[in-house]
Amino acid sequence: MELKQALEQLETLQKKLYAYQCASSSLYLDSVTVAPKDTAQGRGVALGILAGEQHKLFAGPEVGALLDVLGERGEELTFSQRRQVEELSRRWRQISRIPAQEYMEYARLTNEASDVWHKAKEGNDFAAFRPVLEQLVAFNRKFAGYYDPDKAPYDALLNEYERGVDTAYLDRFFAAVRDKLVPVIRAIGEREQPDDSFLYLEYPVQGQRELADYLMEVMGLDRAHCGLGETEHPFTLEFNNRDVRITTNYDEHNLASSLYSVIHEGGHARYELNIQDDIQYTCLAGGVSMGVHESQSRFYENLIGRSLPFVRAIFPKLQELFPAQLGKVTAEQFHRAVNRAQPSLIRIEADELTYCLHIMVRYEIEKQLIGGTLEVKDVPETWNRLYKEYLGVDVPDDTHGCLQDSHWSGGSFGYFPSYALGSAYGAQMLRNMEKEFDVWGPVGRGDLSQVSAWLKDKVHQYGGLLTPAQVVKNACGDFDPSVYTDYLVQKYSELYRL
Ligand code: ZN
């Protein structure tokens, strides 16, 4: 085969895969936004077919042969083409090991599981979710062997979300985090908490919508290319670098919830919108890994969004929108309130300091579930025990316990640690930024352009062109969790005058 012809085939293949992805994503977006409640079944049929077609398109021997041809002529390819071939070859080896039947069954199962989980969570009924979770765990254990038969199953799954990360790496990381943070959390427990009651007054949705619009403007998110919708759980979904959708949830009695979810998802969107044009519609479009993605969202949410300079910058707008609720509050009081640290039950409402401990609970459970040393029936008990041990809180029921997150129902095992790693990467990026330019002067004026430009330059533009480890190295230097724990210890020592 001529090289030119092979490259054309490569491009066509990736565009077709992109089209299938768009179709599945559109159905998903519809299901969580405007679709009526009991419509999952028919959509499941369609999603199952789409997944099957996608599998057929990609997993066949012709694709393997094409990738082999291109792999052998690597020296004649551009860097981007070589990376595409590398990435697709890796995925092809994995996916071609999964029998088509299993692949489709799994797609159907995850679609159904989301519904079952929703109802189980609403009704505090773990027993209803248990059989589905057992199947999901069994599938993932099996898939782990397809992904990388040489790795322990949980390591193989972790590697899917963050290449190069395994349990040995995470055990070290979490141990460092626990050693440094637990004493601070204990010390804060003995301090007086700041008053944050004004965050829970009534905040009409209309005002919160205007606030979301304003925040997107501050983040430089062009509304012609980035939509904002409303869903129960906020998320970001990207079609390409000119079409990204984020969602939020407005709680009339919790101002910080939507405020920070818009900034968080906005951080994900900033990443996707900044990825270079040349790699669109290829397997390298999109953020490089979950950990790097979370480093961006949590960077904007916490390191910038919960800093005093940023709060001061947006506070006049908050007072303008909510004069009755915030008229007598100062920016400094608001800053203390949104940084209140207290061990709690719900991960997505957790503060920046205790957040990692929530992740550690899930990590321990996943490690044992996928490792085969914990049975699904014992998840609630283990969950409750670990919450008591790590956070010192009693879990009243499974709705506020092991049924709170959607990840497992979506088949995502190994995803949670990305949140913690992302937070740690972000802290290192901030430190490097501070060495290069004045971060806080402009941020204090509500100007995030330099911060965004730095992130675009070091992280965003590359998409999957570099590996996650290369991107982290590029932006952080050598990974050092103590930068993250030092940042937290210093921040909270100041806030609580420890
Ligand atoms: Zn996120």
Side-chain angles (χ1 to χ4, degrees), residues 37-105:
K37 199 166 101 212
D38 282 325
T39 54
Q41 203 184 4
R43 209 163 31 249
V45 173
L47 282 166
I49 299 285
L50 283 171
E53 289 298 309
Q54 219 170 338
H55 187 267
K56 236 191 289 176
L57 180 68
F58 185 56
E62 341 54 77
V63 172
L66 172 70
L67 291 170
D68 277 347
V69 167
L70 289 165
E72 278 159 23
R73 303 183 65 170
E75 279 169 17
E76 297 164 72
L77 305 181
T78 64
F79 179 67
S80 166
Q81 288 164 341
R82 221 166 29 238
R83 279 288 298 137
Q84 289 167 40
V85 171
E86 235 173 67
E87 197 46 41
L88 287 170
S89 300
R90 191 181 70 86
R91 291 186 203 171
W92 184 84
R93 280 193 299 275
Q94 287 179 344
I95 211 172
S96 59
R97 295 194 192 118
I98 303 178
Q101 189 57 33
E102 279 180 34
Y103 188 82
M104 280 169 68
E105 254 175 61

Coordinates of all heavy atoms in Angstrom, one line a residue, residues 37-105:
K37 N -38.5 11.0 31.4 CA -37.9 10.2 32.4 C -37.7 8.7 31.9 O -36.7 8.1 32.1 CB -38.7 10.3 33.7 CG -37.9 9.8 34.9 CD -38.6 10.2 36.2 CE -39.4 9.0 36.7 NZ -40.6 9.3 37.4
D38 N -38.8 8.1 31.5 CA -38.8 6.7 31.2 C -38.5 6.4 29.7 O -39.3 5.7 29.0 CB -40.1 6.0 31.6 CG -40.1 5.9 33.1 OD1 -39.0 5.6 33.7 OD2 -41.2 6.0 33.8
T39 N -37.4 6.8 29.2 CA -37.1 6.6 27.8 C -35.7 5.9 27.6 O -35.2 5.9 26.5 CB -37.0 8.0 27.1 OG1 -36.1 8.9 27.8 CG2 -38.4 8.6 27.0
A40 N -35.2 5.4 28.7 CA -33.8 4.9 28.6 C -33.8 3.6 27.7 O -32.8 3.3 27.1 CB -33.3 4.5 30.0
Q41 N -34.8 2.9 27.7 CA -34.8 1.6 27.1 C -34.5 1.7 25.6 O -33.5 1.0 25.1 CB -36.1 0.8 27.3 CG -36.0 -0.6 27.1 CD -37.4 -1.3 27.2 OE1 -38.4 -0.7 27.3 NE2 -37.4 -2.7 27.1
G42 N -35.2 2.5 24.9 CA -35.0 2.6 23.4 C -33.7 3.2 23.1 O -33.0 2.8 22.1
R43 N -33.3 4.2 24.0 CA -32.0 4.8 23.7 C -30.9 3.7 23.9 O -29.9 3.7 23.2 CB -31.8 5.9 24.7 CG -30.9 7.0 24.2 CD -31.1 8.3 25.0 NE -31.4 8.1 26.4 CZ -32.6 8.4 26.9 NH1 -33.5 9.0 26.1 NH2 -32.9 8.2 28.1
G44 N -31.1 2.8 24.9 CA -30.2 1.8 25.2 C -30.0 0.9 23.9 O -28.8 0.5 23.6
V45 N -31.1 0.6 23.2 CA -31.0 -0.2 22.0 C -30.1 0.5 21.0 O -29.1 0.0 20.4 CB -32.4 -0.5 21.4 CG1 -32.2 -1.2 20.0 CG2 -33.2 -1.3 22.4
A46 N -30.3 1.8 20.8 CA -29.6 2.6 19.8 C -28.1 2.7 20.3 O -27.2 2.5 19.4 CB -30.2 4.0 19.7
L47 N -27.9 2.9 21.5 CA -26.5 3.0 22.0 C -25.7 1.7 21.8 O -24.5 1.7 21.5 CB -26.4 3.5 23.5 CG -26.7 5.0 23.7 CD1 -27.0 5.3 25.2 CD2 -25.5 5.8 23.2
G48 N -26.4 0.6 22.1 CA -25.8 -0.7 21.9 C -25.4 -0.9 20.5 O -24.3 -1.4 20.2
I49 N -26.3 -0.5 19.5 CA -26.0 -0.7 18.1 C -24.8 0.2 17.7 O -23.8 -0.2 17.1 CB -27.2 -0.3 17.2 CG1 -28.4 -1.2 17.5 CG2 -26.8 -0.3 15.7 CD1 -28.3 -2.6 17.0
L50 N -24.8 1.4 18.2 CA -23.7 2.3 17.9 C -22.4 1.8 18.4 O -21.4 1.8 17.7 CB -24.0 3.7 18.5 CG -25.0 4.6 17.7 CD1 -25.3 5.9 18.5 CD2 -24.4 5.0 16.4
A51 N -22.4 1.3 19.7 CA -21.2 0.7 20.2 C -20.7 -0.5 19.4 O -19.5 -0.6 19.1 CB -21.4 0.3 21.7
G52 N -21.6 -1.3 19.0 CA -21.3 -2.4 18.1 C -20.7 -2.0 16.8 O -19.7 -2.6 16.4
E53 N -21.3 -1.0 16.2 CA -20.7 -0.5 14.9 C -19.3 0.1 15.1 O -18.4 -0.2 14.2 CB -21.7 0.5 14.3 CG -23.0 0.0 13.8 CD -22.8 -1.1 12.7 OE1 -22.1 -0.8 11.7 OE2 -23.4 -2.2 12.8
Q54 N -19.2 0.8 16.1 CA -17.9 1.4 16.5 C -16.8 0.3 16.6 O -15.7 0.4 16.2 CB -18.0 2.2 17.8 CG -17.3 3.5 17.8 CD -17.7 4.3 19.0 OE1 -18.7 4.1 19.6 NE2 -16.8 5.2 19.4
H55 N -17.2 -0.7 17.3 CA -16.3 -1.9 17.6 C -15.9 -2.5 16.3 O -14.8 -2.8 16.0 CB -17.0 -2.8 18.5 CG -16.1 -4.0 19.0 ND1 -16.1 -5.2 18.3 CD2 -15.3 -4.0 20.0 CE1 -15.2 -5.9 19.0 NE2 -14.7 -5.3 20.0
K56 N -17.0 -2.7 15.4 CA -16.7 -3.4 14.1 C -15.8 -2.6 13.3 O -14.9 -3.1 12.6 CB -18.1 -3.6 13.4 CG -18.4 -5.0 13.0 CD -19.5 -5.1 12.1 CE -20.9 -4.8 12.8 NZ -22.0 -4.8 11.9
L57 N -16.0 -1.3 13.3 CA -15.2 -0.4 12.5 C -13.7 -0.4 12.9 O -12.8 -0.3 12.0 CB -15.8 1.0 12.6 CG -15.1 2.2 11.9 CD1 -15.4 2.0 10.4 CD2 -15.6 3.5 12.3
F58 N -13.5 -0.5 14.2 CA -12.2 -0.3 14.7 C -11.4 -1.6 15.0 O -10.2 -1.7 14.8 CB -12.2 0.5 15.9 CG -10.8 0.9 16.5 CD1 -9.9 1.6 15.7 CD2 -10.5 0.6 17.8 CE1 -8.7 1.9 16.2 CE2 -9.2 0.9 18.3 CZ -8.3 1.6 17.5
A59 N -12.1 -2.7 15.4 CA -11.4 -3.8 16.0 C -11.0 -4.9 15.0 O -10.3 -5.8 15.3 CB -12.3 -4.5 17.1
G60 N -11.4 -4.7 13.7 CA -11.1 -5.7 12.7 C -9.6 -5.8 12.3 O -8.8 -4.9 12.6
P61 N -9.3 -6.9 11.7 CA -7.9 -7.2 11.3 C -7.4 -6.2 10.3 O -6.2 -5.9 10.2 CB -7.9 -8.6 10.7 CG -9.3 -8.9 10.4 CD -10.1 -8.1 11.4
E62 N -8.3 -5.6 9.4 CA -7.8 -4.6 8.4 C -7.2 -3.4 9.1 O -6.2 -2.9 8.6 CB -8.9 -4.1 7.5 CG -10.2 -4.8 7.3 CD -11.0 -5.1 8.5 OE1 -11.6 -4.2 9.1 OE2 -11.0 -6.3 8.9
V63 N -7.8 -3.0 10.2 CA -7.3 -1.8 10.9 C -5.9 -2.2 11.5 O -5.0 -1.4 11.4 CB -8.3 -1.3 12.0 CG1 -7.6 -0.3 12.9 CG2 -9.5 -0.8 11.4
G64 N -5.8 -3.4 12.1 CA -4.5 -3.8 12.6 C -3.5 -3.8 11.5 O -2.3 -3.4 11.8
A65 N -3.8 -4.3 10.3 CA -2.9 -4.3 9.2 C -2.4 -2.9 8.8 O -1.3 -2.6 8.6 CB -3.5 -5.1 8.0
L66 N -3.4 -2.0 8.7 CA -3.2 -0.6 8.4 C -2.2 0.0 9.4 O -1.2 0.7 9.0 CB -4.5 0.2 8.3 CG -4.3 1.7 8.2 CD1 -3.8 2.0 6.8 CD2 -5.7 2.4 8.4
L67 N -2.5 -0.2 10.7 CA -1.6 0.4 11.7 C -0.2 -0.2 11.7 O 0.8 0.5 11.9 CB -2.3 0.2 13.1 CG -3.5 1.0 13.3 CD1 -4.3 0.6 14.6 CD2 -3.3 2.5 13.4
D68 N -0.1 -1.5 11.3 CA 1.2 -2.1 11.2 C 2.0 -1.5 10.1 O 3.2 -1.2 10.2 CB 1.0 -3.6 10.9 CG 0.8 -4.4 12.2 OD1 1.0 -3.8 13.2 OD2 0.4 -5.6 12.1
V69 N 1.3 -1.3 8.9 CA 2.0 -0.7 7.8 C 2.5 0.7 8.2 O 3.7 1.0 7.9 CB 1.0 -0.5 6.6 CG1 1.6 0.4 5.5 CG2 0.7 -1.9 6.0
L70 N 1.7 1.5 8.8 CA 2.1 2.8 9.2 C 3.1 2.8 10.3 O 4.0 3.7 10.3 CB 0.9 3.7 9.6 CG -0.1 4.0 8.5 CD1 -1.4 4.5 9.0 CD2 0.6 5.1 7.6
G71 N 3.0 1.9 11.2 CA 4.0 1.8 12.3 C 5.4 1.5 11.7 O 6.4 2.0 12.2
E72 N 5.4 0.6 10.7 CA 6.7 0.3 10.1 C 7.4 1.5 9.4 O 8.6 1.6 9.2 CB 6.6 -0.9 9.1 CG 6.6 -2.2 9.8 CD 5.9 -3.3 8.9 OE1 5.9 -3.1 7.7 OE2 5.4 -4.3 9.5
R73 N 6.5 2.4 8.9 CA 7.1 3.6 8.2 C 7.1 4.8 9.0 O 7.0 5.9 8.5 CB 6.3 3.8 6.9 CG 6.3 2.5 6.1 CD 5.6 2.6 4.7 NE 6.2 3.6 3.9 CZ 5.9 3.7 2.6 NH1 4.9 3.0 2.1 NH2 6.5 4.6 1.8
G74 N 7.2 4.6 10.3 CA 7.1 5.7 11.3 C 8.1 6.9 11.0 O 7.7 8.0 11.2
E75 N 9.2 6.6 10.4 CA 10.2 7.6 10.1 C 9.7 8.6 9.0 O 10.2 9.7 9.0 CB 11.5 7.1 9.7 CG 12.3 6.6 11.0 CD 13.5 5.8 10.7 OE1 14.0 5.8 9.5 OE2 14.0 5.2 11.6
E76 N 8.8 8.1 8.2 CA 8.3 9.0 7.1 C 7.1 9.8 7.6 O 6.6 10.7 6.8 CB 7.9 8.2 5.9 CG 9.0 7.4 5.3 CD 8.6 6.3 4.4 OE1 8.1 6.6 3.3 OE2 8.7 5.1 4.8
L77 N 6.6 9.6 8.8 CA 5.4 10.3 9.3 C 5.8 11.5 10.1 O 6.9 11.7 10.6 CB 4.6 9.4 10.2 CG 4.2 8.0 9.7 CD1 3.4 7.2 10.7 CD2 3.4 8.1 8.4
T78 N 4.8 12.5 10.1 CA 5.0 13.6 11.0 C 4.9 13.2 12.5 O 4.4 12.1 12.7 CB 3.9 14.7 10.8 OG1 2.7 14.1 11.1 CG2 3.9 15.1 9.3
F79 N 5.3 14.0 13.4 CA 5.2 13.7 14.8 C 3.7 13.4 15.2 O 3.4 12.4 15.9 CB 5.7 14.9 15.7 CG 5.6 14.6 17.1 CD1 6.3 13.6 17.7 CD2 4.7 15.4 17.9 CE1 6.2 13.4 19.1 CE2 4.6 15.1 19.3 CZ 5.4 14.1 19.9
S80 N 2.8 14.2 14.7 CA 1.4 14.0 15.0 C 0.9 12.7 14.5 O 0.2 11.9 15.1 CB 0.6 15.2 14.5 OG -0.8 14.9 14.5
Q81 N 1.2 12.4 13.2 CA 0.8 11.1 12.6 C 1.4 9.9 13.4 O 0.7 8.9 13.6 CB 1.2 11.0 11.1 CG 0.5 12.0 10.2 CD 1.2 12.2 8.9 OE1 2.4 11.9 8.7 NE2 0.4 12.6 7.9
R82 N 2.6 10.1 13.8 CA 3.2 9.0 14.5 C 2.5 8.7 15.9 O 2.3 7.6 16.3 CB 4.7 9.3 14.8 CG 5.6 8.1 14.6 CD 7.1 8.4 14.5 NE 7.6 9.6 15.2 CZ 8.2 10.6 14.6 NH1 8.4 10.6 13.3 NH2 8.6 11.6 15.3
R83 N 2.2 9.8 16.5 CA 1.5 9.7 17.8 C 0.1 9.1 17.6 O -0.4 8.3 18.4 CB 1.3 11.1 18.5 CG 2.6 11.5 19.2 CD 2.8 10.7 20.5 NE 1.7 10.9 21.4 CZ 1.1 9.9 22.1 NH1 1.5 8.7 22.0 NH2 0.1 10.2 22.9
Q84 N -0.6 9.5 16.5 CA -1.9 8.9 16.2 C -1.8 7.4 16.0 O -2.6 6.6 16.5 CB -2.5 9.5 14.9 CG -2.9 10.9 15.1 CD -3.2 11.6 13.7 OE1 -3.8 11.0 12.8 NE2 -2.8 12.9 13.6
V85 N -0.8 7.0 15.3 CA -0.6 5.5 15.0 C -0.3 4.8 16.3 O -0.8 3.7 16.6 CB 0.5 5.3 14.0 CG1 0.9 3.8 13.8 CG2 0.1 5.9 12.6
E86 N 0.6 5.4 17.1 CA 0.9 4.8 18.4 C -0.3 4.6 19.3 O -0.5 3.6 19.8 CB 1.8 5.8 19.1 CG 3.2 5.4 19.6 CD 4.0 6.5 20.1 OE1 3.6 7.2 21.1 OE2 5.0 6.9 19.4
E87 N -1.1 5.7 19.4 CA -2.2 5.7 20.3 C -3.3 4.7 19.8 O -3.9 3.9 20.5 CB -2.8 7.1 20.3 CG -3.7 7.5 21.4 CD -3.3 7.0 22.8 OE1 -2.1 7.1 23.1 OE2 -4.2 6.4 23.5
L88 N -3.5 4.8 18.4 CA -4.5 3.8 17.9 C -4.1 2.4 18.0 O -4.9 1.5 18.2 CB -4.8 4.2 16.4 CG -5.6 5.5 16.2 CD1 -5.6 5.8 14.7 CD2 -7.1 5.3 16.7
S89 N -2.8 2.1 17.8 CA -2.3 0.8 17.9 C -2.5 0.2 19.4 O -2.9 -0.9 19.5 CB -0.8 0.7 17.6 OG -0.6 1.2 16.3
R90 N -2.2 1.1 20.3 CA -2.5 0.7 21.7 C -3.9 0.3 21.9 O -4.3 -0.7 22.5 CB -2.0 1.8 22.6 CG -1.9 1.5 24.1 CD -1.6 2.7 24.9 NE -2.6 3.7 25.0 CZ -3.6 3.6 25.9 NH1 -3.6 2.7 26.8 NH2 -4.6 4.5 25.9
R91 N -4.8 1.2 21.5 CA -6.2 0.9 21.7 C -6.7 -0.3 20.9 O -7.5 -1.0 21.3 CB -7.1 2.2 21.2 CG -6.9 3.3 22.1 CD -7.9 4.5 21.8 NE -7.4 5.7 22.2 CZ -7.9 6.9 21.9 NH1 -9.0 7.0 21.1 NH2 -7.4 8.0 22.4
W92 N -6.1 -0.4 19.7 CA -6.5 -1.5 18.8 C -6.1 -2.9 19.5 O -6.9 -3.8 19.5 CB -5.9 -1.4 17.4 CG -6.3 -2.5 16.5 CD1 -7.5 -2.5 15.8 CD2 -5.7 -3.8 16.3 NE1 -7.6 -3.7 15.1 CE2 -6.5 -4.5 15.4 CE3 -4.6 -4.4 16.8 CZ2 -6.3 -5.8 14.9 CZ3 -4.3 -5.7 16.3 CH2 -5.1 -6.4 15.4
R93 N -4.9 -2.9 20.0 CA -4.5 -4.2 20.7 C -5.5 -4.5 21.8 O -5.8 -5.7 22.1 CB -3.1 -4.0 21.2 CG -2.0 -4.2 20.2 CD -0.6 -4.4 20.8 NE -0.2 -3.3 21.6 CZ 0.4 -2.2 21.1 NH1 0.7 -2.1 19.8 NH2 0.7 -1.2 21.9
Q94 N -5.9 -3.5 22.6 CA -6.8 -3.7 23.7 C -8.2 -4.2 23.2 O -8.7 -5.2 23.6 CB -7.0 -2.4 24.5 CG -5.9 -2.0 25.3 CD -6.1 -0.7 26.0 OE1 -7.0 0.0 25.7 NE2 -5.4 -0.5 27.1
I95 N -8.8 -3.4 22.3 CA -10.1 -3.6 21.9 C -10.3 -4.9 21.1 O -11.3 -5.6 21.2 CB -10.7 -2.4 21.2 CG1 -12.2 -2.3 21.4 CG2 -10.4 -2.4 19.7 CD1 -12.8 -1.0 20.9
S96 N -9.3 -5.2 20.3 CA -9.4 -6.4 19.5 C -9.4 -7.7 20.4 O -9.8 -8.7 19.9 CB -8.3 -6.5 18.4 OG -7.1 -6.5 19.1
R97 N -9.0 -7.5 21.6 CA -9.0 -8.7 22.5 C -10.4 -8.8 23.1 O -10.8 -9.9 23.7 CB -8.0 -8.5 23.6 CG -6.6 -8.5 23.2 CD -5.6 -8.6 24.4 NE -4.3 -8.4 23.9 CZ -3.5 -7.4 24.4 NH1 -4.0 -6.6 25.4 NH2 -2.3 -7.2 24.0
I98 N -11.2 -7.7 23.1 CA -12.6 -7.9 23.7 C -13.5 -8.4 22.6 O -13.7 -7.8 21.6 CB -13.1 -6.5 24.2 CG1 -12.1 -5.9 25.2 CG2 -14.5 -6.6 24.8 CD1 -12.6 -4.5 25.6
P99 N -14.2 -9.6 22.9 CA -15.1 -10.1 21.9 C -16.3 -9.1 21.7 O -16.7 -8.5 22.7 CB -15.6 -11.4 22.6 CG -14.5 -11.7 23.6 CD -14.0 -10.4 24.1
A100 N -16.7 -9.0 20.4 CA -17.7 -8.0 20.1 C -19.0 -8.2 21.0 O -19.6 -7.2 21.4 CB -18.1 -8.1 18.6
Q101 N -19.3 -9.4 21.2 CA -20.5 -9.7 22.0 C -20.4 -9.1 23.4 O -21.3 -8.5 23.9 CB -20.7 -11.3 22.1 CG -22.0 -11.7 22.6 CD -23.2 -11.2 21.9 OE1 -23.1 -11.0 20.7 NE2 -24.3 -10.9 22.6
E102 N -19.3 -9.3 24.0 CA -19.1 -8.8 25.3 C -19.1 -7.3 25.4 O -19.6 -6.7 26.3 CB -17.7 -9.3 25.9 CG -17.7 -10.7 26.5 CD -16.4 -11.1 27.0 OE1 -15.6 -10.3 27.5 OE2 -16.1 -12.3 26.9
Y103 N -18.5 -6.7 24.3 CA -18.4 -5.3 24.2 C -19.8 -4.7 24.2 O -20.1 -3.7 24.9 CB -17.6 -4.9 23.0 CG -17.3 -3.5 22.8 CD1 -16.2 -2.9 23.5 CD2 -18.1 -2.6 22.0 CE1 -15.9 -1.6 23.4 CE2 -17.7 -1.3 21.9 CZ -16.7 -0.8 22.5 OH -16.3 0.5 22.4
M104 N -20.7 -5.3 23.4 CA -22.1 -4.8 23.2 C -22.9 -5.0 24.5 O -23.6 -4.2 24.9 CB -22.8 -5.4 22.0 CG -22.4 -4.7 20.7 SD -22.9 -5.6 19.3 CE -24.7 -5.4 19.4
E105 N -22.7 -6.2 25.1 CA -23.4 -6.5 26.4 C -23.0 -5.4 27.4 O -23.9 -5.0 28.2 CB -22.9 -7.8 26.9 CG -23.9 -9.0 26.7 CD -23.3 -10.3 27.2 OE1 -22.9 -10.4 28.3 OE2 -23.1 -11.2 26.3

